[in-house]
Amino acid sequence: MSKVSVSSIKGGADLDGWMTKQGGSIKTWKKRYFILKGDTLYYFKSEKATEQAGSIVLETTSTCNPESGKNKKNKFHFSVGTTKRIYCIWSDNENTMKEWVAKINDAINKKKGISNDSDKKEVVSGGDGGNNNNNNMKKEEEEEDADADGDKDEDNKEEEEEEEEEEEENNKKEESGEVNPDVSKSKDITIVDRIEKAKEGIKFLQDEDSKVLEFWHIWSESIPQNSQNEIQQGMAVDYNISTSSNMQKLTWRAAGPQSIYIQKMVDFFWNVGAPESEIDRLNDVGALMNPNSIGSWIDMSVKGGMDGGWYFPVEIPLKMAIEASDPGDACKKVVEWSEKHNVQNCFSVGRDMGAAPPRQTEIRVLLPGESLQQQLDIGLDAFEVFEFPPLPENAINILQDSSLTNPGLCLSVITSSEGFVRLGLLTPNPSSEVVQKCCAISGGNSEQLEFFSQHLTSTTPLFVEYQFLKEGFGYGVYKEGFDIVFHYNIGEDTNP
């Protein structure tokens, strides 16, 4: 590709201005100066650059579309698709975004031999994203938009009045016992609604300028959604969330069929700067295990902690899952412990995709045994063999007093090349009483947790986890030592 400077092409540009795009080899969001000239969209690091940072050559098969579903505050997205890849770009002005989409589509149509009415209009380029001097057109558009907004306001008023009347009617029926409250409130509530409601209960996710919230948005946009026609008929994406008892740390997880999930998941890792070597490793491990279902997860904390990775929620031989881990003494001890207790399979394996080592791999297993006590003994043996401090006595007492109809005790172990990272025992279906006791011994807020779980439409968690994070692996943003974590299932986004 020959070098092109801004000064050499700006004079005859079709459109130019500043916007933000996903990067190249490491696809973080970066501000770039764009120039559209003919069938090529150039982008530069500055308006005085002597060489382009890159270019997008438009083809007859290229596409350019607004991505309204990705819009956020002052971020209006659109995409440019070629046979090589899809480029994601956003402008901080909606009219600017629309102008770029129109001009890029004009260029694509020219390649196809289709004439464009906009060719007859004079475009005055400038550093404000390509605003032109067609003031009369803008005034007409603004007047039309104002009329449309007026109509929308009237429609919204009518909708709000209808919703208030319906809610009042439902409340009367609930009081009289005619309607089950859970049914009336959950009507037409989508998985996205539940997730958004759950976020309202997380104080550190309320700041619109938060880097953690931005990280969450990037992740959530990478999940296939039925509302975007990304989930094929008969398929579903399953959402889970876990929170520490004091709600200072969260883990979001989503998984679905490999066929609809893999590309968006890999794109997410590129977007957040995951090393290429780890993406290659994901492909290698995926080829070895060939899971039907795959997923991604993110960690976040009130102190600004942000991590992400992949997981396979499938049952596979434990020794195969070890292949996803970095070799070392920790893996050897896991194998020895599993052989001692005849633990042959795991039901989940995952790995972090952070920019810096050591990499961490999590494996979850169902502990063998016909009773809770048998399973607990095997789990506590893992704490001893893996050289973790014993669980607090009051935590073990709660665990032993749990009224489990079926044993179902699970173990989660995280290893790295530098040793063990975290170990936890997961008890299924804890009662409300158990949740309150767990909050009492771990400094949790049971009322805030109940508010959170109600928005998830879950009365109780799927699991309560008694875990220990080793010193040095909290990195100043996650709580080290003993903690209690509650795991919830949010539900499925399905295409029936």
Side-chain angles (χ1 to χ4, degrees):
M1 180 176 64
S2 59
K3 294 183 180 180
V4 175
S5 66
V6 171
S7 60
S8 68
I9 62 172
K10 186 173 181 179
D14 298 305
L15 198 60
D16 67 278
W18 284 96
M19 293 187 292
T20 303
K21 69 175 285 293
Q22 287 180 339
S25 57
I26 299 179
K27 298 183 181 179
T28 52
W29 290 96
K30 294 183 179 180
K31 200 165 186 179
R32 292 289 182 257
Y33 185 69
F34 285 81
I35 294 180
L36 175 64
K37 185 171 183 179
D39 63 357
T40 305
L41 180 61
Y42 300 92
Y43 48 96
F44 303 83
K45 293 183 180 179
S46 75
E47 292 184 57
K48 297 181 180 180
T50 57
E51 181 181 352
Q52 72 270 40
S55 62
I56 305 170
V57 179
L58 303 173
E59 306 154 336
T60 57
T61 56
S62 295
T63 59
C64 183
N65 298 299
E67 300 288 346
S68 58
K70 296 182 179 181
N71 288 346
K72 305 172 194 173
K73 184 179 180 181
N74 296 326
K75 294 182 180 179
F76 299 92
H77 289 249
F78 68 96
S79 63
V80 180
T82 69
T83 54
K84 294 181 179 179
R85 59 173 275 207
I86 296 177
Y87 297 82
C88 298
I89 305 168
W90 62 261
S91 167
D92 58 6
N93 180 284
E94 185 174 13
N95 288 332
T96 299
M97 178 272 290
K98 291 178 179 178
E99 187 173 16
W100 276 101
V101 171
K103 281 296 176 183
I104 293 172
N105 277 317
D106 284 353
I108 294 171
N109 287 335
K110 282 183 181 178
K111 293 282 286 187
K112 296 178 180 178
I114 303 173
S115 62
N116 301 293
D117 291 339
S118 60
D119 291 345
K120 302 174 184 177
K121 299 170 187 174
E122 180 182 356
V123 176
V124 180
S125 63
D128 60 351
N131 291 329
N132 61 39
N133 291 331
N134 295 320
N135 293 326
N136 291 334
M137 289 181 61
K138 285 186 176 180
K139 287 180 180 179
E140 291 175 5
E141 290 174 359
E142 289 171 358
E143 289 172 1
E144 290 175 2
D145 290 342
D147 291 341
D149 289 341
D151 293 339
K152 287 179 182 177
D153 289 341
E154 290 300 319
D155 291 341
N156 289 338
K157 286 179 182 178
E158 291 178 8
E159 290 176 4
E160 289 173 3
E161 290 173 359
E162 289 175 1
E163 288 173 0
E164 289 175 1
E165 290 176 4
E166 185 177 350
E167 184 176 355
E168 185 178 350
E169 184 67 23
N170 280 336
N171 288 337
K172 289 179 181 179
K173 290 182 178 180
E174 287 173 19
E175 291 172 2
S176 65
E178 293 179 37
V179 175
N180 184 318
D182 292 335
V183 173
S184 65
K185 290 178 182 177
S186 63
K187 181 182 179 181
D188 296 330
I189 294 179
T190 67
I191 187 71
V192 175
D193 294 332
R194 288 202 290 271
I195 292 172
E196 289 296 329
K197 282 289 186 181
K199 279 173 53 193
E200 293 177 8
I202 310 299
K203 292 182 179 179
F204 67 87
L205 288 181
Q206 304 311 306
D207 181 3
E208 286 295 327
D209 296 324
S210 164
K211 293 288 186 183
V212 176
L213 180 59
E214 183 179 5
F215 181 57
W216 182 89
H217 278 301
I218 295 172
W219 174 76
S220 63
E221 289 167 3
S222 75
I223 311 301
Q225 296 183 18
N226 190 42
S227 62
Q228 302 296 319
N229 298 318
E230 295 170 329
I231 299 178
Q232 298 173 16
Q233 189 170 13
M235 295 185 176
V237 172
D238 189 49
Y239 287 81
N240 289 274
I241 184 173
S242 59
T243 174
S244 58
S245 61
N246 62 5
M247 305 198 76
Q248 302 286 292
K249 179 196 172 185
L250 297 173
T251 300
W252 303 79
R253 295 161 67 98
Q258 182 179 161
S259 59
I260 65 171
Y261 209 106
I262 184 64
Q263 187 56 56
K264 296 200 74 173
M265 184 171 78
V266 171
D267 288 345
F268 164 66
F269 294 137
W270 278 120
N271 293 343
V272 296
E276 187 173 355
S277 59
E278 281 301 308
I279 294 177
D280 290 340
R281 181 159 187 162
L282 167 61
N283 291 331
D284 293 339
V285 173
L288 174 68
M289 301 179 185
N290 193 26
N292 292 326
S293 182
I294 63 174
S296 59
W297 59 267
I298 55 171
D299 282 343
M300 56 182 59
S301 75
V302 69
K303 294 183 178 181
M306 292 179 286
D307 292 290
W310 57 265
Y311 73 105
F312 298 160
V314 293
E315 184 172 351
I316 57 173
L318 180 60
K319 290 185 177 179
M320 182 182 290
I322 294 291
E323 294 293 327
S325 309
D326 289 334
D329 290 339
C331 287
K332 291 179 181 177
K333 288 184 178 180
V334 170
V335 171
E336 291 171 357
W337 171 84
S338 66
E339 291 176 346
K340 174 183 175 182
H341 296 290
N342 196 29
V343 178
Q344 298 181 358
N345 296 323
C346 71
F347 63 85
S348 178
V349 58
R351 184 174 172 88
D352 86 280
M353 298 285 279
R359 313 286 175 212
Q360 300 179 9
T361 304
E362 181 190 24
I363 295 174
R364 295 184 181 182
V365 302
L366 176 64
L367 294 172
E370 296 181 359
S371 67
L372 171 64
Q373 190 59 52
Q374 289 177 346
Q375 292 183 330
L376 180 58
D377 290 341
I378 295 172
L380 295 179
D381 184 58
F383 274 80
E384 182 177 348
V385 172
F386 302 162
E387 299 180 353
F388 279 80
L391 289 175
E393 186 175 349
N394 51 5
I396 294 178
N397 290 338
I398 295 174
L399 209 161
Q400 289 176 322
D401 290 342
S402 299
S403 55
L404 296 176
T405 55
N406 296 306
L409 194 63
C410 302
L411 182 135
S412 165
V413 57
I414 298 180
T415 63
S416 74
S417 59
E418 296 183 2
F420 286 98
V421 177
R422 197 182 74 200
L423 187 63
L425 287 176
L426 290 83
T427 304
N429 306 316
S431 65
S432 298
E433 182 182 0
V434 167
V435 171
Q436 291 179 356
K437 288 181 178 179
C438 286
C439 286
I441 68 169
S442 59
N445 186 325
S446 58
E447 292 182 359
Q448 187 181 12
L449 198 67
E450 184 177 358
F451 171 81
F452 177 71
S453 63
Q454 285 176 349
H455 283 313
L456 294 174
T457 67
S458 300
T459 53
T460 57
L462 279 181
F463 292 94
V464 56
E465 180 177 0
Y466 307 83
Q467 66 173 219
F468 194 98
L469 179 64
K470 282 207 167 181
E471 184 178 355
F473 288 101
Y475 304 110
V477 293
Y478 300 118
K479 178 184 176 182
E480 297 176 353
F482 175 73
D483 203 359
I484 288 181
V485 173
F486 298 102
H487 298 253
Y488 295 88
N489 178 252
I490 305 175
E492 290 185 337
D493 188 9
T494 64
N495 184 353

